[in-house]
């Protein structure tokens, strides 16, 4: 049995490596949120359009993005998109990193979320009800946290993020005893990052709510169209 | 003498034409000096291997008499082209005597003909050329059975061995499956024909090296997880003391069967029949498996599968796989890559026609093995979906009941557990339990079932969200009924306010069941990736997979929606 202190020391030694992996999770999530929010914003606007054809199209698009399982889509993109591509009209070849494929896969879920939540927010904003529209911000952030957790699935296509780096550490040290501690340590990263932000968003939400002197219950952001994984 | 006939490894490839003829001529006159008597060397499986062609006598008039076979018998020796530079298949021992797996096979064929064996060293470059020239009677030299080679020689079916691509890894490597290598750095040698295809099928990050030596040193220095190369070439490396402990744990991929070749004109002759029956016999008696083991080769799945297939009997007591009077072999037992639409029937024929016309390889439709793998994957996915939905609901309801109890400690503990459940990625939870906790339990002799762990973790993750939704709905309820508390009896009162987020959570968990593939639960995604690795039909399988899941999610959404409406209506009564 390896002494407790040795395991702690191992974890400390590998902390920069693991933290780098978590930074990758954040990067994947931020890119996914950016792409997803931009496209979701377009669809949300389509939902408010007066043209019935545009409106119907927006509903179909939202329905599709809601139903695509991101985990399978991740595999789909990993297999179907090339590892590198030639930039059109130039001769330069650009690599298509796996982490970007992961971001793209996750952004599908973000599109659905934004379409559902942005369109009422935009409507309120246009009515001049800016306060209610602002409620979108805490919902968006809570959703981003779900995406951070879902970004761990990128490990299955070999992206070197936190969960995948846990497996690397286990293989590199070759110690069976480190398996449980290293995974628990990874949990600390996720809980340590998500929990405070979640509390903060709840607080922000109640502050906005109080400002609006809302009497009717509005509830937290509904459990969104992604599994968190 | 013997050294001339078969013992000079250096001569392989540049071996001048005339000396072979000379050696052959000498061999013909003094057979005893050129070869060891076959029966003593051929191994234990050989005893049972006796009457070779008797089981399936070539039909009268349908197989021609071979001039070549007659010549071999007149000459009294079989001139076999074998390698001497490819251990352990064909090599030389310390005293320069040619030995190896394929030498044993050649000896057995000579014995069956009733002549002695003369070994003619050949290389990959000249083996079929020498056969064409008539310098040798037969080639048994690690030769892959390909369509091009079928045009220049008669390739004997059944195939006797196979090679493919595997990974050479350090002793401490934990890799067990190609899916463990996804996205990892893998060393490879430039110019190997399989590099591109392997990278495509298994999503590998290839690091190229100029030669095998450098690539293997890079593995040793941990610059990559392993060296990807032909498994039969690597077989010699893992036997060397220098690489003691190094191993090849992954299943061999891109399998190419090997065949014995005889002259192009020997098609449908009694010579072909004799060699073909010999190979069939080797599969049936286990001779090949026994020789493979004797030469220190890793047991190959190919030989095990062939043994099962060729020993299988139909109800009337005949072998299912056999050669018919016209020389043809049962189509199902043939090398599938050489089956054309004309040889197949039914669905398979249809699938092959589509493949010939469009290049779209619908193996999940026409290939029995793939179809059943895909179908059983679908069943497991359905099972996972049902279990996860049920589990999440159970965890959510139990959690909500516990959190609404008066005991403050229980309430706090439940809330804390639910926060942890929602804030750790389910995939991490699965690894934590299956690998982390599993490593502790392994010491006690307990093994966790991956399927159970996946269901438990996904139910915990989703159940935590279900619970929060119920508690929030309870909070809303308390605004109208101040002393409301969730119990089994009052549960229905919060159905209208919680059903939306609960159903959303349940839809999500059914999308997440594919996570099981990360820990080798044989669900649909696992089935799909393994079909891709067998056939390389990435586009077809991935599109089918996405379509199947979209359909599945659509059905789940409809059913849960219906259930939700019913419950809300019931609750309203």
């Amino acid at each position: 049995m390896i002494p407790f202190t040795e395991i702690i020391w191992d974890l400390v030694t590998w902390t920069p490596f693991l933290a780098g992996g978590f930074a990758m999770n954040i990067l994947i999530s931020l890119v996914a949120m950016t792409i997803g929010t931009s496209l979701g914003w377009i669809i949300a606007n389509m939902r408010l359009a007066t043209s019935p054809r545009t409106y119907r199209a927006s509903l179909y698009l939202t329905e599709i993005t809601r139903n695509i399982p991101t985990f399978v889509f991740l595999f789909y993109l990993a297999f179907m998109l090339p590892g590198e591509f030639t930039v059109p009209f130039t001769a330069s070849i650009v690599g298509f990193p796996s982490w970007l494929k992961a971001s793209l896969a996750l952004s599908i879920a973000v599109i659905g979320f934004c379409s559902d939540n942005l369109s009422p927010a935009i409507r309120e904003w246009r009515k001049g009800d800016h306060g209610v529209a602002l409620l979108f911000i805490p919902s968006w952030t809570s959703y981003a946290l779900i995406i951070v957790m879902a970004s761990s699935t990128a490990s299955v296509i070999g992206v070197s993020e936190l969960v995948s780096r846990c497996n690397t550490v286990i293989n590199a040290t070759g110690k069976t005893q480190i398996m449980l501690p290293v995974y628990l340590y990874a949990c600390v990263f996720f809980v340590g990052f998500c929990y405070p932000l979640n509390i903060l968003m709840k607080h922000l939400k109640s502050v906005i709510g109080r400002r609006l002197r809302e009497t009717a219950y509005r509830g937290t952001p509904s459990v969104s169209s992604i599994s968190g994984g | 003498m013997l050294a001339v006939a078969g013992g000079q490894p250096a001569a392989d490839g540049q071996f001048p034409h005339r000396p072979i003829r000379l050696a052959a001529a000498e061999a013909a006159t003094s057979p005893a000096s050129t070869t060891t008597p076959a029966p003593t060397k051929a191994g234990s499986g050989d005893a049972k291997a006796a009457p070779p062609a008797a089981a399936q006598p070539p039909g009268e008039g349908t197989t021609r008499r071979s001039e070549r076979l007659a010549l071999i018998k007149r000459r009294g020796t079989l001139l076999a082209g074998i390698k001497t530079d490819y251990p352990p298949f064909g090599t030389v021992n310390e005293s320069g005597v040619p030995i190896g797996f394929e030498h044993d096979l050649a000896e057995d064929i000579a014995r069956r003909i009733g002549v002695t064996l003369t070994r003619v060293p050949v290389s990959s470059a000249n083996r079929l050329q020498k056969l064409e020239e008539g310098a040798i009677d037969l080639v048994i030299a690690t030769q892959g059975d390909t369509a091009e080679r079928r045009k220049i020689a008669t390739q004997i079916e059944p195939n006797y061995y196979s090679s493919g691509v595997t990974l050479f890894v350090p002793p401490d490597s934990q890799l067990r499956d190609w899916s463990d290598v996804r996205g990892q750095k893998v060393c490879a040698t430039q110019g190997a024909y399989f590099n591109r295809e392997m990278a495509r099928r298994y999503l590998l990050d290839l690091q190229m090296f100029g030669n095998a030596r450098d690539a293997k040193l890079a593995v040793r220095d941990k610059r990559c997880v392993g060296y990807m190369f032909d498994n039969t070439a690597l077989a010699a490396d893992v036997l060397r003391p220098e690489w003691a402990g190094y191993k090849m744990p992954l299943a061999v991929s891109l399998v190419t069967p090997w065949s014995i070749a005889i002259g192009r004109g020997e098609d449908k002759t009694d010579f072909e029949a004799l060699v073909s029956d010999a190979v069939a016999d080797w599969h049936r008696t286990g001779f090949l498996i026994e020789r493979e083991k004797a030469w220190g080769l890793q047991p190959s799945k190919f030989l095990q599968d062939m043994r099962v297939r060729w020993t299988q009997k139909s109800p009337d007591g005949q072998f299912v796989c056999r050669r018919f009077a016209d020389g043809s072999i049962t189509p199902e037992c043939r090398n599938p890559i050489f089956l054309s639409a004309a040889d197949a029937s039914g669905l398979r024929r249809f699938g092959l026609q589509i493949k010939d016309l469009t290049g779209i390889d619908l193996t999940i439709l026409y290939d029995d093995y793939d179809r059943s793998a895909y179908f059983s994957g679908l069943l497991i996915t359905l099972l996972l979906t049902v279990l996860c939905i049920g589990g999440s609901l159970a965890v959510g309801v139990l959690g909500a009941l516990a959190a609404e109890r008066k005991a403050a400690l229980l309430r706090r503990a439940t809330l804390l557990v639910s926060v942890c459940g929602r804030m750790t990625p389910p995939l991490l939870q699965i690894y934590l339990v299956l690998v982390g906790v599993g490593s502790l339990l392994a010491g006690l002799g307990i093994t966790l079932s991956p399927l159970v762990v996946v269901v438990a973790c996904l139910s915990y993750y989703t159940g935590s969200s279900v619970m929060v939704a119920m508690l929030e709905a309870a909070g809303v309820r308390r605004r109208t009924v101040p002393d409301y508390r969730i119990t089994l009896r009052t549960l229905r009162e919060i159905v209208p306010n919680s059903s939306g987020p609960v159903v959303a959570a349940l839809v999500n968990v059914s999308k997440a069941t594919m996570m099981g593939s990360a820990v080798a639960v044989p669900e649909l995604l696992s089935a799909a990736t393994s079909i891709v690795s067998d056939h390389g039909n990435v586009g077809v399988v991935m599109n089918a997979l996405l379509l199947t899941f979209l359909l599945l999610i659509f059905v789940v959404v409809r059913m849960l929606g219906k259930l939700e409406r019913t419950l809300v209506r019931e609750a309203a009564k």
Side-chain angles (χ1 to χ4, degrees):
Chain A
M1 189 74 198
I2 298 175
F4 185 65
T5 47
E6 196 186 321
I7 287 176
I8 296 292
W9 185 241
D10 274 337
L11 290 183
V12 170
T13 319
W14 287 99
T15 297
F17 179 71
L18 293 172
F22 193 60
M24 181 54 104
N25 287 87
I26 307 286
L27 173 69
I28 293 172
S29 314
L30 282 180
V31 173
M33 288 306 287
T34 311
I35 299 172
T37 309
S38 319
L39 296 177
W41 184 78
I42 295 173
I43 299 183
N45 275 299
M46 284 165 69
R47 282 172 84 159
L48 301 174
T50 41
S51 148
R53 201 178 290 165
T54 315
Y55 174 72
R56 219 174 305 131
S58 74
L59 287 191
Y60 281 129
L61 283 173
T62 311
E63 191 66 26
I64 289 171
T65 56
R66 270 197 222 123
N67 280 358
I68 290 180
T70 52
F71 197 84
V72 167
F73 200 54
L74 181 67
F75 269 85
Y76 188 85
L77 293 184
F79 275 106
M80 302 293 272
L81 290 179
E84 52 187 26
F85 61 94
T86 316
V87 181
F89 311 116
T90 66
S92 57
I93 293 170
V94 178
F96 203 141
S98 327
W99 70 263
L100 192 55
K101 295 179 182 174
S103 288
L104 283 178
L106 292 175
S107 71
I108 284 288
V110 183
I111 294 174
F113 167 83
C114 286
S115 166
D116 286 339
N117 290 266
L118 253 181
S119 63
I122 295 172
R123 196 188 301 125
E124 298 296 324
W125 186 273
R126 285 182 186 165
K127 270 195 238 159
D129 208 346
H130 294 192
V132 179
L134 281 178
L135 275 174
F136 177 71
I137 294 170
S139 312
W140 187 88
T141 314
S142 306
Y143 197 72
L145 296 181
I146 291 177
I147 293 293
V148 168
M149 284 188 273
S151 68
S152 66
T153 54
S155 64
V156 296
I157 60 162
V159 177
S160 184
E161 48 69 71
L162 182 55
V163 174
S164 141
R165 288 194 177 189
C166 286
N167 296 336
T168 310
V169 169
I170 290 168
N171 284 335
T173 58
K175 294 173 190 164
T176 323
Q177 288 88 344
I178 206 166
M179 288 175 170
L180 189 57
V182 86
Y183 286 126
L184 283 171
Y185 191 40
C187 291
V188 171
F189 273 93
F190 281 103
V191 177
F193 180 80
C194 297
Y195 188 63
L197 273 175
N198 215 39
I199 298 286
L200 190 70
M201 286 309 123
K202 258 188 191 161
H203 186 68
L204 183 63
K205 200 169 178 176
S206 64
V207 168
I208 297 174
R210 234 176 292 140
R211 284 261 181 91
L212 294 170
R213 278 192 231 122
E214 247 184 11
T215 41
Y217 172 75
R218 283 197 163 266
T220 50
S222 62
V223 180
S224 39
S225 57
I226 191 176
S227 55
Chain B
M1 173 72 229
L2 192 125
V4 176
Q8 286 182 346
D12 195 353
Q14 305 100 326
F15 210 98
H17 192 69
R18 258 172 62 86
I20 299 173
R21 283 283 167 90
L22 274 178
E26 277 178 81
T29 50
S30 53
S33 64
T34 55
T35 172
T36 2
T40 52
K41 273 200 82 183
S44 65
D46 195 35
K48 291 173 275 173
Q56 259 321 303
E60 295 282 328
T62 47
T63 51
R64 288 179 290 120
R65 270 178 56 81
S66 161
E67 290 297 323
R68 193 81 198 177
L69 186 60
L71 174 70
I72 295 166
K73 284 180 178 161
R74 264 206 315 280
R75 191 202 290 142
T77 188
L78 171 73
L79 304 176
I82 323 177
K83 282 192 174 178
T84 49
D85 61 348
Y86 203 87
F89 295 92
T91 182
V92 284
N93 67 9
E94 294 85 344
S95 32
V97 178
I99 52 166
F101 179 80
E102 293 185 329
H103 289 263
D104 292 353
L105 306 186
E107 272 170 11
D108 190 60
I109 291 183
R111 190 188 60 76
R112 283 166 193 260
I113 304 175
V115 293
T116 56
L117 174 70
T118 303
R119 303 144 207 262
V120 181
V122 292
S123 69
S124 301
N126 68 14
R127 56 194 169 194
L128 292 182
Q129 187 197 332
K130 286 190 174 184
L131 186 68
E132 179 79 14
E133 287 166 2
I136 48 179
D137 303 319
L138 158 152
V139 166
I140 176 159
T142 70
Q143 184 218 214
D145 188 0
T146 65
E148 284 72 36
R149 291 187 181 135
R150 289 202 167 200
K151 289 181 196 146
I152 49 178
T154 303
Q155 304 290 341
I156 304 286
E157 278 195 76
N159 301 110
Y160 68 95
Y161 206 69
S162 71
S163 65
V165 186
T166 192
L167 209 59
F168 174 79
V169 301
D172 58 352
S173 173
Q174 307 278 333
L175 300 174
R176 273 174 302 179
D177 192 86
W178 283 103
S179 62
D180 300 338
V181 197
R182 257 182 227 137
Q184 307 271 323
K185 285 193 170 59
V186 169
C187 288
T189 32
Q190 275 155 9
Y193 74 92
F194 44 75
N195 285 347
R196 206 186 164 81
E197 185 60 21
M198 289 298 288
R200 190 174 79 98
R201 290 189 187 192
Y202 299 104
L203 307 174
L204 308 177
D205 181 6
L206 296 185
Q207 312 285 303
M208 292 302 181
F209 288 85
N211 60 62
R213 181 78 207 158
D214 289 350
K216 279 181 272 188
L217 289 177
V219 175
R220 195 192 60 193
D221 300 342
K222 305 264 160 123
R223 278 184 281 150
C224 52
V225 295
Y227 170 45
M228 180 178 85
F229 203 62
D230 184 292
N231 72 315
T232 57
L234 289 170
D237 286 323
V238 291
L239 296 174
R240 286 203 183 100
E242 181 191 0
W243 299 107
Y246 278 72
K247 53 191 179 177
M248 306 185 290
L250 305 192
V252 178
S253 184
L254 296 183
V255 174
T256 308
W258 290 2
S259 57
I260 298 176
I262 55 176
R264 185 172 20 179
E266 300 298 317
D267 186 27
K268 305 244 185 274
T269 61
D270 53 350
F271 187 25
E272 186 197 20
L274 185 141
V275 182
S276 170
D277 286 336
V279 180
D281 217 39
W282 294 340
H283 284 303
R284 288 190 183 132
T285 58
F287 174 58
L288 289 167
I289 291 176
E290 182 268 327
R291 285 290 91 198
E292 175 184 54
K293 198 174 161 200
W295 286 104
L297 291 161
Q298 282 192 7
S300 66
K301 191 173 172 296
F302 174 81
L303 283 189
Q304 281 149 20
D305 289 350
M306 286 297 263
R307 174 118 204 241
V308 170
R309 190 180 284 181
W310 283 82
T311 48
Q312 212 168 45
K313 285 192 176 177
S314 55
D316 60 357
Q318 284 209 308
F319 284 115
V320 174
C321 291
R322 60 203 162 99
R323 217 164 44 74
F324 299 102
D326 63 350
S328 68
I329 289 177
T330 321
E332 291 74 40
C333 307
R334 292 192 54 200
N335 182 347
I337 52 177
F338 297 112
L339 279 181
S340 64
D343 297 317
S345 56
L347 204 55
R348 175 173 282 273
R349 180 175 202 149
F350 178 66
L352 287 172
Q353 276 167 346
I354 289 182
K355 188 184 168 190
D356 290 345
L357 281 174
T358 62
I360 297 173
D361 195 4
L362 294 166
T363 57
I364 43 176
L365 277 187
Y366 73 79
D367 186 285
D368 294 341
Y369 182 82
D370 283 3
R371 195 175 49 235
S372 74
Y374 198 79
F375 190 68
S376 81
L378 182 60
L379 283 184
I380 295 198
T381 295
L382 287 176
L383 176 73
L384 273 174
T385 309
V386 171
L387 289 179
C388 285
I389 289 178
S392 305
L393 266 181
V395 169
V397 170
L398 287 177
L401 289 176
E404 290 271 291
R405 295 295 288 266
K406 282 200 179 104
L409 196 65
L410 180 66
R411 205 175 66 225
R412 290 251 172 87
T414 312
L415 290 175
L416 185 71
V417 168
S418 109
V419 165
C420 290
R422 279 180 300 140
M423 305 269 160
T424 40
L427 188 63
L428 182 57
Q429 292 179 18
I430 292 171
Y431 284 131
L432 180 89
V433 176
L434 196 66
V435 182
V437 178
S439 70
L440 297 183
L441 292 178
L444 305 170
I446 302 168
T447 347
L448 292 171
S449 145
L451 190 135
V452 172
V453 171
V454 168
V455 171
C457 291
L458 287 177
S459 301
Y460 173 41
Y461 177 80
T462 314
S464 301
S465 298
V466 170
M467 177 191 127
V468 168
M470 288 181 163
L471 292 183
E472 274 172 7
V476 177
R477 183 78 185 150
R478 272 192 276 277
R479 290 184 194 167
T480 43
V481 188
D483 60 344
Y484 177 78
R485 191 178 290 278
I486 302 177
T487 62
L488 275 179
R489 214 170 294 155
T490 60
L491 200 58
R492 60 189 307 180
E493 293 173 38
I494 54 165
V495 166
N497 267 322
S498 62
S499 68
V502 168
V503 166
L506 296 181
V507 169
N508 289 335
V509 78
S510 50
K511 287 188 205 166
T513 54
M514 288 79 82
M515 261 176 227
S517 66
V519 290
V521 174
E523 44 68 80
L524 199 50
L525 184 57
S526 302
T529 51
S530 87
I531 292 171
V532 164
S533 61
D534 282 351
H535 298 282
N537 46 353
V538 173
V540 170
V541 173
M542 282 295 141
N543 282 315
L545 179 73
L546 198 61
L547 212 66
T548 312
F549 266 109
L550 277 177
L551 216 70
L552 189 78
I553 299 301
F554 180 76
V555 171
V556 169
V557 168
R558 290 307 274 289
M559 284 174 67
L560 284 176
K562 203 167 179 188
L563 188 72
E564 182 191 355
R565 280 191 298 276
T566 318
L567 281 176
V568 170
R569 215 181 305 129
E570 285 293 309
K573 276 180 192 169

